[in-house]
Amino acid sequence: MSHFWNFRPNQNQKNVFLVIVAFFWIFFGFNGSLQYLLLMFSLEQKAHLALISQIILYVVFFLTSIASIPIINKIGQKRSLIIGAVSYGLYTVSLATLNETFIYSAAVLIGFGATLIWVTSGKIITDNSISTELGRNLGLQFAGFLVGTLAGTILGGLLINRLPFSQINVIFSLIILMAIPFLLFLSVEEKGLKNIPFNPSLLFNRRHLTLFPIVFASAFILSQTFNAMSLQIEKLFGLTNVGIFTTLLRIMMIIGSLIFGRLADLFRKETILLWLVICGILGVALFLYHGNALTIIIGIIFLGFFVSSTYPVCLSLLKQKLPSKDYLQALGIFQAYLTSAVLVSIVSNLILSPKMSFLPGIISIGLCSISLKKLHNKSGSIG
């Protein structure tokens, strides 16, 4: 087991650890608030505020992800992470005001901040990881995100009947700011970002598009865990059981991120992706089949593995296949793909029934076979 994880105490590992802990605090506060946002705003007859602010957030996230490397180059990596953390805190505290102008303005800021957080953290972890540890470290990063999300969901559930939602959001915003001391201790070199031009056409580069169906499907289903999936569980088993099933899903996601991220360091990444796609297909089929509670639970386990593990496995695969200059730009494109899936999920939940809202994800999973075929070509290179 010690060989499986093989931690090396040095400055590089310290940077990785600091990013992971910062992620825990940021998404402890942000996703804790987000989990109950639509429900609480609906009670205030302001559900449109929650939905529109989320759309603004992810549209800005998508647009800025494409141009992320030149932006981070000008700001610097440590400052990018700190600005990003502050933007998450500001958006969360804006929700306490119910002020439309403030919330929409903060949504624009956090969209920009999300790009800074996700792309910069990916670069720092990549720069501070050797090839045999990259998948593990990316898995730990995503696990930090997931553990924070689970902690926020639990704390929100404990507070929701005890305090007004405005006070809960203030508490969550303060929790987010707990990340800043850890970010201040980062020791990073501003390297590898110079002279990389802004090139939006990279969104449609065939090397990047090879992974698009897999990335889109996993991000879409992850977004559904905040929306249609909870509604489906409530319809089948009642409101009191929603927390039990969603907690199981989060735990499976944490386990999957840790295990499959490390397996990507030890075995062929294309093979790992094949098994993850099979998990995704089985998970969606079993979850939507509605046979009984056991069927749903097994489906949730498979879905947890699929949605949490594609992040570390895909990014480590891109690092293995692409030159350093192309990989830096691929980090931004990767986040743009993830964000497009979240936007489609939001729109699907607005216009389709909870069950039918899974349709874009099902189609994307079906297209994964094309990606897997290209990944297993004889050259072994993307595109």
Side-chain angles (χ1 to χ4, degrees):
M1 183 63 70
S2 60
H3 175 71
F4 186 80
W5 293 108
N6 190 30
F7 286 101
R8 300 173 298 109
N10 54 35
Q11 182 60 52
N12 289 345
Q13 284 299 111
K14 177 184 174 183
N15 286 335
V16 170
F17 171 78
L18 291 171
V19 169
I20 292 168
V21 175
F23 254 58
F24 166 80
W25 288 113
I26 290 169
F27 292 101
F28 184 163
F30 176 68
N31 283 342
S33 173
L34 191 65
Q35 187 71 55
Y36 302 95
L37 177 61
L38 185 58
L39 171 64
M40 299 310 297
F41 272 42
S42 295
L43 295 176
E44 298 286 343
Q45 306 299 315
K46 290 182 178 290
H48 68 284
L49 264 178
L51 293 171
I52 294 174
S53 70
Q54 289 292 294
I55 292 172
I56 292 172
L57 188 167
Y58 287 107
V59 167
V60 176
F61 189 2
F62 174 82
L63 294 174
T64 53
S65 291
I66 304 169
S68 57
I69 296 302
I71 294 171
I72 295 168
N73 179 32
K74 290 188 178 296
I75 299 175
Q77 294 177 82
K78 183 187 290 190
R79 278 179 291 182
S80 292
L81 289 175
I82 293 172
I83 292 171
V86 171
S87 74
Y88 274 78
L90 184 61
Y91 175 76
T92 304
V93 79
S94 77
L95 300 175
T97 69
L98 293 178
N99 182 282
E100 188 169 320
T101 301
F102 188 13
I103 291 174
Y104 291 161
S105 299
V108 173
L109 181 61
I110 192 180
F112 175 66
T115 289
L116 299 180
I117 285 286
W118 281 100
V119 178
T120 306
S121 63
K123 182 183 184 306
I124 290 174
I125 288 180
T126 301
D127 287 345
N128 288 273
S129 302
I130 60 176
S131 60
T132 56
E133 296 176 355
L134 179 57
R136 181 204 66 191
N137 289 343
L138 288 168
L140 286 168
Q141 177 199 8
F142 205 69
F145 161 81
L146 294 168
V147 173
T149 298
L150 179 59
T153 301
I154 293 171
L155 179 60
L158 294 173
L159 297 177
I160 202 74
N161 293 320
R162 294 176 171 83
L163 294 173
F165 194 54
S166 58
Q167 293 182 23
I168 294 174
N169 277 311
V170 172
I171 292 171
F172 278 135
S173 66
L174 293 174
I175 288 173
I176 291 170
L177 297 181
M178 292 291 292
I180 293 179
F182 295 94
L183 297 175
L184 289 172
F185 281 102
L186 282 170
S187 177
V188 295
E189 296 181 30
E190 304 295 336
K191 62 181 182 179
L193 293 169
K194 303 295 183 182
N195 303 318
I196 299 179
F198 169 56
N199 186 3
S201 66
L202 288 172
L203 275 173
F204 309 102
N205 183 289
R206 61 177 183 152
R207 293 182 302 180
H208 301 146
L209 286 173
T210 300
L211 289 175
F212 176 77
I214 300 172
V215 174
F216 183 95
S218 64
F220 181 90
I221 294 172
L222 177 60
S223 179
Q224 289 290 81
T225 65
F226 289 94
N227 299 301
M229 193 172 289
S230 294
L231 293 175
Q232 284 291 93
I233 292 171
E234 189 274 334
K235 179 181 177 181
L236 291 170
F237 305 108
L239 183 62
T240 56
N241 289 311
V242 171
I244 296 174
F245 282 94
T246 55
T247 299
L248 173 64
L249 175 65
R250 301 274 192 261
I251 292 172
M252 289 302 103
M253 289 166 65
I254 293 167
I255 293 172
S257 178
L258 293 172
I259 292 178
F260 284 97
R262 186 57 179 141
L263 289 175
D265 294 328
L266 303 175
F267 301 100
R268 193 164 184 256
K269 297 172 181 61
E270 295 88 344
T271 302
I272 300 298
L273 281 178
L274 171 62
W275 285 107
L276 288 175
V277 169
I278 292 173
C279 284
I281 293 171
L282 291 174
V284 170
L286 290 169
F287 182 81
L288 295 180
Y289 172 65
H290 295 168
N292 50 48
L294 179 61
T295 304
I296 299 293
I297 290 171
I298 296 173
I300 283 175
I301 292 171
F302 281 130
L303 286 176
F305 288 162
F306 175 63
V307 301
S308 65
S309 304
T310 48
Y311 176 85
V313 178
C314 285
L315 282 186
S316 57
L317 176 63
L318 284 170
K319 177 62 176 176
Q320 174 184 303
K321 300 292 186 181
L322 298 177
S324 295
K325 179 181 177 181
D326 291 343
Y327 179 73
L328 292 175
Q329 297 185 81
L331 285 173
I333 301 302
F334 186 87
Q335 294 301 330
Y337 287 167
L338 291 174
T339 308
S340 69
V342 177
L343 284 169
V344 173
S345 172
I346 293 172
V347 173
S348 296
N349 282 280
L350 287 174
I351 64 176
L352 299 173
S353 67
K355 189 172 183 179
M356 289 301 296
S357 68
F358 281 89
L359 186 59
I362 295 172
I363 294 172
S364 186
I365 288 179
L367 293 174
C368 286
S369 59
I370 300 174
S371 296
L372 291 170
K373 183 178 179 180
K374 290 185 176 181
L375 289 172
H376 283 82
N377 62 20
K378 291 183 179 180
S379 64
S381 61
I382 294 178

